Amino acid sequence: MTNTLSPAAAPAVAPPRMGASAWGRIAICIAIALPAVVFRIGGFAPNALVDLLVFGGAVVAASFLLAWAAEAAQKDIAGALAIAILALIAVLPEYAVDLYYAFRSGYDPAYEQFAAANMTGSNRLLLGFGWPLVVIISLLVARRFVKTGSLPASATRVLELERSSRLDIGFLALLALVAFLIPLMGSIPMWFGFALLAAFVWYLWRASKVTDDDDEEELVGMAGNIASMPQRARRWTIVALFVVAAAVILSSAEPFADALVDSGSALGIDSYFLVQWLAPLATEAPEFIVAALFALRGMGGAAIGTLIASKVNQWSLLVGSLPIAHVLGGGTTGGLPLDSRQVEEFMLTASQTVLGVAIIIALRFHRWSAIALAALFAVQFFVTDTNGRWVLSIVHLVAALVVFWINRRDILPTITAPFRRPSSPAFRD
């Protein structure tokens, strides 16, 4: 007979609590963010560089709080919807900065050039750096499982995506095709923005219907500490972290965004470059870290799934919100106008997205595909003239056509996934 303890005889177990080190990390983030709150309340603005450091540090610190809380929230929200919500929350700092630029462009035409700069930079950074990073880490981690015989040798060459990713890839494919309308129109009209917002709502609704058959993964690190708390304490902690982080981000977004522009002039660096690349590095660092931690735990599918969902969020919710913010700031109801540089940036970003979809459409991410994506991403920093960037966009599209032909059997199941029921073959093959 099995030796078991009856409930009455079982020893009492104290409910788990967060360790001092975990609370210490939260305290460090709050301490980093505190000067920005003091500056904001007191109206201090010594100079652009100091403001950049103070408010930029606050945005990064708050982003970590958001990332920890969002990951821990998966304890109470399961499946594809959790990935979608995690991706949405993780990019909120980026949204705050980009929407401020769009809002200010409504009454200050000088800011029109920055309205979509942060979005195009972060979007390409996510795919050109984030996706390859996650894949390479996942394949390296897989080596130890191959040595023990628990995974086949191919696991060190190809990352298999989760079946639930079919829905996200399908939405991303449709949004990537629609994105080419933006450079063709030369603006983001209000009606187009509302259509993208509707697509985002539709995406969330479809994600809520998808169930994942995989076992629930154990959370570790800061998210694991928060998730291990009793339910009531955990939920209050998560809500508190969300509120504090959101307050810091909302209060820091405007001065951080202005400091980026002013610092460019002070340092003799193109302000557009700082807005496009420095801001995304600050706001998306926690998102990359969360995805990298997933990959290090052997959860490569969930890691890349989070970054794919972030791309869907950017192309739907963020881009759709830009013309609305512009109008609320005093701009014309025709929407957000784009200059030639913005048109070029949208074309390059959309073409890169199409290539990314082609690579993952078969739910497999090959090692050499990751290397190629990273290499093409790096090339853009050396190809700065307009003609060169249009050529790079064409290179993306030609490469995408070749990969689409190789994976042609997966095209129809993917583009129809947003319209199919979760139990359909699109989610099982």
PDB file of all heavy atoms in Angstrom, residues 15-36:
ATOM      1  N   PRO A  15       2.376  29.418   3.114  1.00  0.00           N
ATOM      2  CA  PRO A  15       2.233  29.867   1.722  1.00  0.00           C
ATOM      3  C   PRO A  15       3.531  30.493   1.220  1.00  0.00           C
ATOM      4  O   PRO A  15       4.268  31.120   1.984  1.00  0.00           O
ATOM      5  CB  PRO A  15       1.124  30.932   1.807  1.00  0.00           C
ATOM      6  CG  PRO A  15       1.130  31.377   3.227  1.00  0.00           C
ATOM      7  CD  PRO A  15       1.522  30.189   4.023  1.00  0.00           C
ATOM      8  N   PRO A  16       3.861  30.291  -0.066  1.00  0.00           N
ATOM      9  CA  PRO A  16       5.111  30.842  -0.593  1.00  0.00           C
ATOM     10  C   PRO A  16       5.119  32.358  -0.547  1.00  0.00           C
ATOM     11  O   PRO A  16       4.092  32.998  -0.674  1.00  0.00           O
ATOM     12  CB  PRO A  16       5.125  30.326  -2.038  1.00  0.00           C
ATOM     13  CG  PRO A  16       3.694  30.038  -2.354  1.00  0.00           C
ATOM     14  CD  PRO A  16       3.057  29.622  -1.077  1.00  0.00           C
ATOM     15  N   ARG A  17       6.289  32.890  -0.383  1.00  0.00           N
ATOM     16  CA  ARG A  17       6.450  34.340  -0.345  1.00  0.00           C
ATOM     17  C   ARG A  17       7.605  34.743  -1.242  1.00  0.00           C
ATOM     18  O   ARG A  17       8.515  33.969  -1.494  1.00  0.00           O
ATOM     19  CB  ARG A  17       6.734  34.823   1.087  1.00  0.00           C
ATOM     20  CG  ARG A  17       5.592  34.564   2.057  1.00  0.00           C
ATOM     21  CD  ARG A  17       5.997  35.007   3.461  1.00  0.00           C
ATOM     22  NE  ARG A  17       4.938  34.762   4.430  1.00  0.00           N
ATOM     23  CZ  ARG A  17       3.949  35.594   4.688  1.00  0.00           C
ATOM     24  NH1 ARG A  17       3.903  36.742   4.037  1.00  0.00           N
ATOM     25  NH2 ARG A  17       3.024  35.307   5.575  1.00  0.00           N
ATOM     26  N   MET A  18       7.550  35.980  -1.703  1.00  0.00           N
ATOM     27  CA  MET A  18       8.664  36.493  -2.500  1.00  0.00           C
ATOM     28  C   MET A  18       9.864  36.717  -1.598  1.00  0.00           C
ATOM     29  O   MET A  18       9.732  37.208  -0.479  1.00  0.00           O
ATOM     30  CB  MET A  18       8.273  37.802  -3.178  1.00  0.00           C
ATOM     31  CG  MET A  18       7.476  37.621  -4.443  1.00  0.00           C
ATOM     32  SD  MET A  18       7.951  38.814  -5.719  1.00  0.00           S
ATOM     33  CE  MET A  18       7.616  40.365  -4.909  1.00  0.00           C
ATOM     34  N   GLY A  19      11.039  36.359  -2.111  1.00  0.00           N
ATOM     35  CA  GLY A  19      12.254  36.545  -1.350  1.00  0.00           C
ATOM     36  C   GLY A  19      12.675  38.003  -1.288  1.00  0.00           C
ATOM     37  O   GLY A  19      12.207  38.846  -2.050  1.00  0.00           O
ATOM     38  N   ALA A  20      13.602  38.282  -0.372  1.00  0.00           N
ATOM     39  CA  ALA A  20      14.083  39.657  -0.206  1.00  0.00           C
ATOM     40  C   ALA A  20      14.771  40.161  -1.468  1.00  0.00           C
ATOM     41  O   ALA A  20      14.679  41.340  -1.814  1.00  0.00           O
ATOM     42  CB  ALA A  20      15.037  39.727   0.985  1.00  0.00           C
ATOM     43  N   SER A  21      15.473  39.250  -2.171  1.00  0.00           N
ATOM     44  CA  SER A  21      16.179  39.681  -3.386  1.00  0.00           C
ATOM     45  C   SER A  21      15.204  40.129  -4.470  1.00  0.00           C
ATOM     46  O   SER A  21      15.483  41.059  -5.225  1.00  0.00           O
ATOM     47  CB  SER A  21      17.053  38.543  -3.907  1.00  0.00           C
ATOM     48  OG  SER A  21      16.257  37.418  -4.255  1.00  0.00           O
ATOM     49  N   ALA A  22      14.039  39.451  -4.541  1.00  0.00           N
ATOM     50  CA  ALA A  22      13.039  39.829  -5.541  1.00  0.00           C
ATOM     51  C   ALA A  22      12.466  41.208  -5.232  1.00  0.00           C
ATOM     52  O   ALA A  22      12.343  42.060  -6.123  1.00  0.00           O
ATOM     53  CB  ALA A  22      11.927  38.791  -5.594  1.00  0.00           C
ATOM     54  N   TRP A  23      12.116  41.432  -3.965  1.00  0.00           N
ATOM     55  CA  TRP A  23      11.629  42.763  -3.578  1.00  0.00           C
ATOM     56  C   TRP A  23      12.718  43.808  -3.787  1.00  0.00           C
ATOM     57  O   TRP A  23      12.440  44.959  -4.129  1.00  0.00           O
ATOM     58  CB  TRP A  23      11.184  42.762  -2.121  1.00  0.00           C
ATOM     59  CG  TRP A  23       9.879  42.059  -1.878  1.00  0.00           C
ATOM     60  CD1 TRP A  23       9.689  40.918  -1.167  1.00  0.00           C
ATOM     61  CD2 TRP A  23       8.591  42.456  -2.358  1.00  0.00           C
ATOM     62  NE1 TRP A  23       8.355  40.564  -1.171  1.00  0.00           N
ATOM     63  CE2 TRP A  23       7.657  41.489  -1.894  1.00  0.00           C
ATOM     64  CE3 TRP A  23       8.134  43.509  -3.135  1.00  0.00           C
ATOM     65  CZ2 TRP A  23       6.295  41.567  -2.180  1.00  0.00           C
ATOM     66  CZ3 TRP A  23       6.776  43.597  -3.428  1.00  0.00           C
ATOM     67  CH2 TRP A  23       5.877  42.639  -2.952  1.00  0.00           C
ATOM     68  N   GLY A  24      13.979  43.389  -3.597  1.00  0.00           N
ATOM     69  CA  GLY A  24      15.085  44.314  -3.804  1.00  0.00           C
ATOM     70  C   GLY A  24      15.193  44.787  -5.246  1.00  0.00           C
ATOM     71  O   GLY A  24      15.471  45.953  -5.508  1.00  0.00           O
ATOM     72  N   ARG A  25      14.933  43.872  -6.195  1.00  0.00           N
ATOM     73  CA  ARG A  25      14.980  44.256  -7.616  1.00  0.00           C
ATOM     74  C   ARG A  25      13.871  45.247  -7.947  1.00  0.00           C
ATOM     75  O   ARG A  25      14.083  46.195  -8.702  1.00  0.00           O
ATOM     76  CB  ARG A  25      14.857  43.011  -8.492  1.00  0.00           C
ATOM     77  CG  ARG A  25      16.043  42.073  -8.384  1.00  0.00           C
ATOM     78  CD  ARG A  25      15.800  40.811  -9.181  1.00  0.00           C
ATOM     79  NE  ARG A  25      16.781  39.787  -8.851  1.00  0.00           N
ATOM     80  CZ  ARG A  25      16.736  38.541  -9.298  1.00  0.00           C
ATOM     81  NH1 ARG A  25      15.747  38.180 -10.096  1.00  0.00           N
ATOM     82  NH2 ARG A  25      17.666  37.672  -8.951  1.00  0.00           N
ATOM     83  N   ILE A  26      12.707  45.019  -7.373  1.00  0.00           N
ATOM     84  CA  ILE A  26      11.606  45.962  -7.583  1.00  0.00           C
ATOM     85  C   ILE A  26      11.964  47.321  -6.995  1.00  0.00           C
ATOM     86  O   ILE A  26      11.716  48.368  -7.607  1.00  0.00           O
ATOM     87  CB  ILE A  26      10.314  45.418  -6.959  1.00  0.00           C
ATOM     88  CG1 ILE A  26       9.851  44.168  -7.713  1.00  0.00           C
ATOM     89  CG2 ILE A  26       9.217  46.482  -6.959  1.00  0.00           C
ATOM     90  CD1 ILE A  26       8.632  43.492  -7.107  1.00  0.00           C
ATOM     91  N   ALA A  27      12.581  47.294  -5.813  1.00  0.00           N
ATOM     92  CA  ALA A  27      12.978  48.551  -5.160  1.00  0.00           C
ATOM     93  C   ALA A  27      14.018  49.296  -5.986  1.00  0.00           C
ATOM     94  O   ALA A  27      13.994  50.536  -6.076  1.00  0.00           O
ATOM     95  CB  ALA A  27      13.513  48.257  -3.757  1.00  0.00           C
ATOM     96  N   ILE A  28      14.950  48.562  -6.601  1.00  0.00           N
ATOM     97  CA  ILE A  28      15.972  49.200  -7.443  1.00  0.00           C
ATOM     98  C   ILE A  28      15.324  49.903  -8.629  1.00  0.00           C
ATOM     99  O   ILE A  28      15.680  51.047  -8.980  1.00  0.00           O
ATOM    100  CB  ILE A  28      17.004  48.157  -7.924  1.00  0.00           C
ATOM    101  CG1 ILE A  28      17.864  47.689  -6.747  1.00  0.00           C
ATOM    102  CG2 ILE A  28      17.881  48.727  -9.030  1.00  0.00           C
ATOM    103  CD1 ILE A  28      18.791  46.536  -7.075  1.00  0.00           C
ATOM    104  N   CYS A  29      14.353  49.229  -9.262  1.00  0.00           N
ATOM    105  CA  CYS A  29      13.654  49.839 -10.399  1.00  0.00           C
ATOM    106  C   CYS A  29      12.912  51.105  -9.975  1.00  0.00           C
ATOM    107  O   CYS A  29      12.943  52.123 -10.683  1.00  0.00           O
ATOM    108  CB  CYS A  29      12.676  48.839 -11.014  1.00  0.00           C
ATOM    109  SG  CYS A  29      13.468  47.507 -11.944  1.00  0.00           S
ATOM    110  N   ILE A  30      12.269  51.043  -8.821  1.00  0.00           N
ATOM    111  CA  ILE A  30      11.548  52.220  -8.322  1.00  0.00           C
ATOM    112  C   ILE A  30      12.525  53.346  -8.014  1.00  0.00           C
ATOM    113  O   ILE A  30      12.253  54.527  -8.295  1.00  0.00           O
ATOM    114  CB  ILE A  30      10.713  51.844  -7.091  1.00  0.00           C
ATOM    115  CG1 ILE A  30       9.590  50.875  -7.496  1.00  0.00           C
ATOM    116  CG2 ILE A  30      10.125  53.093  -6.443  1.00  0.00           C
ATOM    117  CD1 ILE A  30       8.779  50.359  -6.337  1.00  0.00           C
ATOM    118  N   ALA A  31      13.691  52.994  -7.447  1.00  0.00           N
ATOM    119  CA  ALA A  31      14.699  54.010  -7.128  1.00  0.00           C
ATOM    120  C   ALA A  31      15.232  54.678  -8.394  1.00  0.00           C
ATOM    121  O   ALA A  31      15.483  55.885  -8.417  1.00  0.00           O
ATOM    122  CB  ALA A  31      15.850  53.360  -6.345  1.00  0.00           C
ATOM    123  N   ILE A  32      15.390  53.898  -9.461  1.00  0.00           N
ATOM    124  CA  ILE A  32      15.863  54.470 -10.724  1.00  0.00           C
ATOM    125  C   ILE A  32      14.812  55.395 -11.322  1.00  0.00           C
ATOM    126  O   ILE A  32      15.136  56.431 -11.924  1.00  0.00           O
ATOM    127  CB  ILE A  32      16.218  53.337 -11.717  1.00  0.00           C
ATOM    128  CG1 ILE A  32      17.435  52.554 -11.205  1.00  0.00           C
ATOM    129  CG2 ILE A  32      16.494  53.901 -13.109  1.00  0.00           C
ATOM    130  CD1 ILE A  32      17.767  51.331 -12.037  1.00  0.00           C
ATOM    131  N   ALA A  33      13.542  55.032 -11.144  1.00  0.00           N
ATOM    132  CA  ALA A  33      12.454  55.832 -11.707  1.00  0.00           C
ATOM    133  C   ALA A  33      12.143  57.073 -10.873  1.00  0.00           C
ATOM    134  O   ALA A  33      11.587  58.047 -11.394  1.00  0.00           O
ATOM    135  CB  ALA A  33      11.191  54.975 -11.832  1.00  0.00           C
ATOM    136  N   LEU A  34      12.494  57.060  -9.605  1.00  0.00           N
ATOM    137  CA  LEU A  34      12.113  58.137  -8.687  1.00  0.00           C
ATOM    138  C   LEU A  34      12.628  59.515  -9.113  1.00  0.00           C
ATOM    139  O   LEU A  34      11.874  60.502  -9.044  1.00  0.00           O
ATOM    140  CB  LEU A  34      12.590  57.809  -7.270  1.00  0.00           C
ATOM    141  CG  LEU A  34      12.027  58.682  -6.151  1.00  0.00           C
ATOM    142  CD1 LEU A  34      10.497  58.610  -6.139  1.00  0.00           C
ATOM    143  CD2 LEU A  34      12.589  58.242  -4.792  1.00  0.00           C
ATOM    144  N   PRO A  35      13.886  59.659  -9.559  1.00  0.00           N
ATOM    145  CA  PRO A  35      14.337  60.997  -9.982  1.00  0.00           C
ATOM    146  C   PRO A  35      13.468  61.597 -11.083  1.00  0.00           C
ATOM    147  O   PRO A  35      13.252  62.817 -11.115  1.00  0.00           O
ATOM    148  CB  PRO A  35      15.766  60.739 -10.474  1.00  0.00           C
ATOM    149  CG  PRO A  35      16.204  59.537  -9.720  1.00  0.00           C
ATOM    150  CD  PRO A  35      14.992  58.686  -9.589  1.00  0.00           C
ATOM    151  N   ALA A  36      12.972  60.753 -11.999  1.00  0.00           N
ATOM    152  CA  ALA A  36      12.120  61.262 -13.074  1.00  0.00           C
ATOM    153  C   ALA A  36      10.816  61.818 -12.508  1.00  0.00           C
ATOM    154  O   ALA A  36      10.323  62.858 -12.973  1.00  0.00           O
ATOM    155  CB  ALA A  36      11.816  60.146 -14.077  1.00  0.00           C
TER     156      ALA A  36
END
